Amino acid sequence: MSEMKEMIVNVVEKIFKDKVDKEKVDVVEEGKWAEDVWQVLQDNEMLAVAVSEENGGAGGDLDDLLNLYRLIGKYAVPIPFVETTFANVLLEKTGLNVTQEKATYAVEEQLNVSIDNGTVSGTIVNVPWARYVDELVVVAAGTSGLELVQVSLKDAAISPNMNLACEPRDTVTLVHAPVQQQTKITNEQLEYFIALESAAKSAAMSGAIDKAYELTVRYTKEREQFGRPIHRFQLVQQHLANLAGEAVITSSAIDNMIASIAQKCLQNEVAYTRIRIEEAAKIVAASAHQVHAAIGVTHEHSLHQYTRRLWSWREEGAGEAYWTKQLANRLMEVEDDSLWGYLTRTEKVFQL
Amino acid sequence: MFSLPTVQFTDEQEQFRLEVRAFLQEHLAKGTFKTKCDSWLSGSDPAFSKLIGEQGWIGLTWPKKYGGQERSTIDRYILTEEFLAVGAPVAAHWFADRQTGPLLMRFGTEEQREFFLPKIVKGECYFGIGLSEPNSGSDLASVKTRAEKVDGGWIINGSKTWTSNAHDAHYAVTLIRTEPLGEKKHDGLSQLIIDLHAEGVTIVPIKYLTGEHHFNEVFFDNVFVPDNMVVGTLGNGWKQGLAELAFERSGPERILSTFPLLDELIAGLKRQGDAAGMKEASKVLSRLWGLRNLSIGVAKVLEEGGEVAIPAALVKSIGTKFEQSIPEITRLLVRTYPRLEAERRIDRFMAESTLHAPGFTIRGGTSEVLYGMVAKGVVGQ
């Protein structure tokens, strides 16, 4: 990371440390809106990271944004930061106008809405934060192919729902909602957006993995049993070693994935990262809870704010099932039985 | 948390990879060697090592004045990956290249460097590593082999065990007690280079469970070692030895020992058009990718002289488990008849992988020792 990038990450981390604690996340889970967290990010222009300066943004890159998403996981930040910033990535990358409003998105293989005469209709489930935000960016079936469209959620019927972490995941029903703006996109663009979205979730999950690991290390130092801190027990040490391994592999996977995205030479990095992180999430959540024992499964303890996010986020966007299918298709095309050549191939695949 | 750098290979490095690959493919086709799983430990072939030496591919990173190429650690990483991916028999020169050279570069005398390094580089001089003893496996520092000071050198008595390829090696860097056991068992240990053909050295094979001969017990009965064969500082052997371990634990050989089997598995699934099987196998690639990033990151930090003992231990403990998982995954996806002498490659690789797998998580520090090390490290951070 460049110094500039490091600075952005440090500033935002400090904001989250100050503003987002266990109680704040609890309150949001009960259905409140964390205006102070939103406001401070807006004041610091962090909502416009990765939007170019000519479009009124702060002029960062996608890699800055992905590094910030790690912090969303690490602090269980209860606002639609990923959603608003990613919606603007979609808008800007397709040449549409970015929005200054709070926004969310729905980017999936399966198309749930269609365009008819300048209006959008259909029902989309699991839309993050819909009830709290103003705009929705969604991929719709047009009369001649795919369209990326923006609609106002004032024109939608929203039925509140939530994921395992009590984050808003609403059902949005559109009946002839007027299109704010729209543009044609190709199948390849949709695939790329699905990959980026999956990368965003992986980044957020890696932050939650880091935090669950950190909490566990800290707990083994504080908690005493049989007259000594529990990190002195070899079976607990094995948990710590496994957790450290998953945390370090996850973090290095994200670094490498972000580097590939930044250099615009993505091959299978998003797929490998997401599959590996889902595996890490399973191992880390189980092991962190086992080490924390009973206290870790109480609502009072903060561990569940991270493990419930891991269990929720792994089900969202393109996950292991999607990526193993993609990889299997690609591996079927590997020439001359040379897996090693494939894994180390040198030609760069540029994406958009 | 440990932050490791990401590494993007340069065009020259990609080119080097292809050059090495083409050379190995040519010799594979000629029958110079046969692909084997776990070839870095069980594929000892002095003729092949000499061939590799002629290419300038031993001691790749060492100074030119000792016959090296002064290439980067990442170049060496690429070279090693290519050897392992094709299962080439690199065991004979392996320890000299991986450990002894770097050790002498760091702690050796000029005389030692000038004497040993050019021979190692040619693929003509092999080293064993004398650490474990019959009653000290994981408790490495409980060394009993002792050296008694005499005029001009030392007289060694004792024995070392599990010494890989000692029967092909010319010398062994051996951890020896040069001072009587004091309060701390880590003190008073020194590294001495012992000529394995010297009078009083007896090498007895310990057959592996397959009957193959890889490791040995090495006995020292009043063996004379001259003063100029002491490496580094007397009494500093433990610390010097520890410095080697990060190199020993973090390389691609902790990930790729069973790669030839994985290659056959993917090829088999492709031939059968088995999409469901391929989906399963693709998860393995994501694990491989994760480990490879970590291992390359550690290599980069090592090159810059950074501290990576814990990530290196993690590469070994997780990487060797990964290597062990390949035969277990393979057997669920394709039918195999594992035989060490099989004609069909997948059957032979399956046999080699299955039978060698138990050793992966033992050699070079058992997983249990590594877990303890990692846990103590992260608690202390």
Side-chain angles (χ1 to χ4, degrees), chain B residues 313-332:
Chain B
L314 287 170
V315 172
K316 184 178 185 295
S317 63
I318 305 173
T320 51
K321 242 190 195 169
F322 169 81
E323 296 177 328
Q324 287 176 336
S325 75
I326 304 298
E328 298 305 316
I329 290 161
T330 301
R331 63 176 288 277
L332 299 177

Side-chain angles (χ1 to χ4, degrees), chain A residues 29-57:
Chain A
E29 283 182 13
E30 287 160 14
K32 307 240 171 34
W33 168 253
E35 182 60 26
D36 57 332
V37 182
W38 185 262
Q39 204 54 52
V40 74
L41 285 174
Q42 193 152 42
D43 294 347
N44 284 281
E45 292 198 329
M46 290 306 160
L47 295 169
V49 167
V51 172
S52 65
E53 282 170 26
E54 60 190 283
N55 286 327

Side-chain angles (χ1 to χ4, degrees), chain B residues 211-227:
Chain B
E212 293 161 287
H213 180 190
H214 311 138
F215 42 48
N216 304 273
E217 190 159 359
V218 184
F219 295 92
F220 307 110
D221 179 18
N222 288 319
V223 177
F224 176 74
V225 176
D227 280 326

Side-chain angles (χ1 to χ4, degrees), chain B residues 245-266:
Chain B
L245 290 180
F247 289 93
E248 181 182 338
R249 288 178 173 155
S250 64
E253 70 272 27
R254 304 304 183 178
I255 303 172
L256 296 177
S257 298
T258 52
F259 185 83
L261 177 60
L262 179 59
D263 189 25
E264 280 297 308
L265 169 63
I266 299 286

Side-chain angles (χ1 to χ4, degrees), chain B residues 100 103 127-130 171-175 191-194 231 244:
Chain B
T100 313
L103 178 76
F127 274 75
I129 306 292
Y171 300 92
V173 174
T174 313
L175 190 65
Q191 289 180 300
L192 273 64
I193 297 173
I194 300 184
V231 180
E244 284 173 59

